């Protein structure tokens, strides 16, 4: 189960991503926002992060205008490794090296075509499992 959430700056891109997940047959839970009205990104970043940290959802996707505010928020929750990605190289590397559990996107930064490829790369790339990466990830939580 994928947790997904956005503010007004990420609303349109979230609609595209949810349609894409449906086409792929992937289940998701939409934590809002549900309209294009101006709202506060920490509400939605926190809701998705808590769903992933608790194990209710396996991965998360969060979107605001830049992806910055919502990723800063999510990374405050223990156990969350939210990665703001603007290209597929970073999406692949953050799964392999950081075992990132949340993907952050900027709805005003990346177009839908690129964003969907970033989403697929993030969801389809496994963690490498290398000892050095495990060690570094455990150091994040110290
Ligand atoms: C909202 O205008 C905007 O500040 C927000 O979507 C995000 O970019 C914050 O980091």
């Amino acid at each position: 189960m994928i947790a997904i959430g956005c503010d007004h700056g990420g609303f349109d891109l979230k609609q595209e991503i949810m349609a894409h997940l449906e086409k792929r047959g992937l289940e998701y839970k939409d934590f809002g926002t549900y309209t294009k009205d101006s709202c506060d990104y920490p509400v939605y970043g926190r809701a998705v992060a808590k769903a992933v940290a608790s194990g209710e959802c396996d991965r998360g996707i969060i979107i605001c205008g830049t992806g910055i505010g919502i990723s800063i928020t999510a990374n405050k929750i223990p156990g969350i490794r939210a990665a703001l990605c603007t290209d597929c190289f970073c999406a692949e590397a953050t799964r392999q090296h950081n075992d990132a559990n949340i993907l952050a996107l900027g709805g005003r930064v990346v177009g839908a075509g690129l964003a969907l490829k970033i989403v697929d790369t993030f969801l389809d790339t496994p963690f490498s499992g290398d000892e050095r990466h495990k060690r570094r990830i455990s150091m994040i939580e110290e």
Side-chain angles (χ1 to χ4, degrees):
M1 177 69 73
I2 298 162
I4 189 163
C6 69
D7 74 352
H8 54 289
F11 183 81
D12 288 336
L13 182 54
K14 189 182 73 175
Q15 303 306 116
E16 301 262 8
I17 292 171
M18 291 192 301
H20 182 68
L21 295 177
E22 274 164 39
K23 267 190 214 153
R24 285 195 53 176
L26 297 173
E27 284 192 319
Y28 62 84
K29 182 169 178 184
D30 181 7
F31 285 83
T33 188
Y34 303 112
T35 74
K36 286 171 116 170
D37 295 343
S38 181
C39 62
D40 301 323
Y41 59 80
V43 172
Y44 307 99
R46 191 170 292 122
V48 169
K50 286 193 168 174
V52 174
S54 70
E56 178 189 350
C57 294
D58 312 300
R59 301 268 186 92
I61 300 172
I62 50 177
I63 315 137
C64 66
T66 59
I68 296 171
I70 205 160
S71 58
I72 291 171
T73 305
N75 277 316
K76 293 276 183 190
I77 305 298
I80 291 305
R81 294 177 299 283
L84 172 57
C85 296
T86 54
D87 58 70
C88 294
F89 177 84
C90 288
E92 183 181 57
T94 199
R95 286 291 310 128
Q96 291 172 335
H97 294 201
N98 315 122
D99 197 14
N101 46 18
I102 293 183
L103 169 67
L105 293 165
R108 297 171 183 158
V109 180
V110 289
L114 175 57
L116 298 183
K117 285 199 178 298
I118 293 171
V119 166
D120 284 343
T121 303
F122 182 82
L123 295 177
D124 297 341
T125 303
F127 175 49
S128 70
D130 289 350
E131 282 310 315
R132 70 183 189 286
H133 293 311
K134 285 186 184 168
R135 181 182 70 245
R136 291 164 189 162
I137 291 165
S138 67
M139 289 170 73
I140 294 172
E141 300 285 344
E142 282 172 7

